[in-house]
Amino acid sequence: MTSASPIQTEEELLSVKDCILLPILLDVLERDIRSMKHTGVSDYYVFHLQTVQQMTFAKLAELKRSCRARGIAILETRRQKHSILIHYRCHGYQHDMELMWDYVRADIQIRLAEMLQVQL
């Protein structure tokens, strides 16, 4: 049963969203690093992506610690054809969130562009 609790802040919502998006970003980075290594691209580009990957790992670890301290827990994620469904608990109340794949792709592109200092 989902409860619409008024105690959920915008920061908490963003934390839940980041808990889902950062692992996807890490998957994208890993795929790109592996692909670049096999194509013989300069080690400089691979190193730059690995640096972004390490920063993302650190950010995700800090985010998970912060969520635990604030009573936020992801209970279930389900990848569907057009979206990701997230069931989570925040301060004892259960909530659902749905992220459309188009939004996920756009968000990851923006984050990567910012980290790589590339203008879209």
Side-chain angles (χ1 to χ4, degrees), residues 40-62:
V41 172
S42 168
D43 288 340
Y44 172 77
Y45 296 111
V46 172
F47 174 77
H48 201 59
L49 286 180
Q50 288 171 330
T51 301
V52 170
Q53 186 180 41
Q54 290 168 357
M55 290 173 14
T56 305
F57 271 124
K59 184 175 182 177
L60 181 58
E62 176 55 36

Side-chain angles (χ1 to χ4, degrees), residues 3 7 70-72 89-95:
S3 143
I7 61 172
R70 293 183 296 160
I72 299 171
R89 184 178 59 244
C90 183
H91 301 294
Y93 293 92
Q94 292 190 20
H95 304 274

Side-chain angles (χ1 to χ4, degrees), residues 20 74-79 84-87:
I20 302 305
I74 306 295
L75 303 174
E76 179 184 10
T77 60
R78 281 193 318 225
R79 292 183 180 205
I84 303 173
L85 295 176
I86 304 110
H87 184 66

